[in-house]
Amino acid sequence: MVYIKSDRVEEQIKQVITKLRLTILQKALFSRCVECNQILENISKQKVEGKVPPYAFKTVEQFKKCPDCKKIYWVGTHWNNVKKFAVRVGVLSRS
Ligand SMILES: [Zn+2]
């Protein structure tokens, strides 16, 4: 059991990783659906037309889809913000 000491999410994540001695697999980050934890699958650009915002469809080439809840993911602003957060809490190396 881990008693969370901080009110700040970043500190909480750092504490859990340290206390439980978790090993973070870099290649596993961003590989699962945030809604249902299924492993994301590649999906062709043609199949996401009309299902993602027009700007994303126009500017992004690679998309992933959750086989369970059908949520579609792509590397965009939100993804990049999540990556920056992961670097800040120490679960992703800067690259
Ligand atoms: Zn899902």
Side-chain angles (χ1 to χ4, degrees):
M1 184 187 305
V2 179
Y3 175 74
I4 302 294
K5 297 174 181 172
S6 177
D7 289 333
R8 297 184 59 236
V9 173
E10 291 178 32
E11 295 303 319
Q12 293 171 350
I13 293 171
K14 286 178 185 175
Q15 184 193 353
V16 169
I17 291 169
T18 304
K19 188 78 177 178
L20 300 179
R21 298 179 184 173
L22 300 178
T23 300
I24 308 298
L25 299 175
Q26 302 282 303
K27 66 180 181 183
L29 294 171
F30 309 108
S31 64
R32 290 184 178 263
C33 179
V34 296
E35 300 293 335
C36 56
N37 206 33
Q38 291 294 314
I39 295 175
L40 300 177
E41 299 174 344
N42 291 324
I43 183 171
S44 69
K45 185 169 179 162
Q46 301 97 305
K47 289 184 178 173
V48 302
E49 187 169 14
K51 297 176 182 171
V52 297
Y55 181 77
F57 185 76
K58 196 172 165 184
T59 57
V60 176
E61 293 304 316
Q62 291 186 322
F63 295 87
K64 290 186 179 281
K65 181 181 180 182
C66 173
D68 193 9
C69 74
K70 315 301 181 198
K71 184 175 175 129
I72 299 169
Y73 294 84
W74 63 92
V75 177
T77 309
H78 178 66
W79 184 295
N80 288 323
N81 287 338
V82 172
K83 269 186 147 177
K84 286 177 189 168
F85 179 83
V87 168
R88 280 202 310 276
V89 298
V91 298
L92 181 67
S93 355
R94 218 175 284 273
S95 58

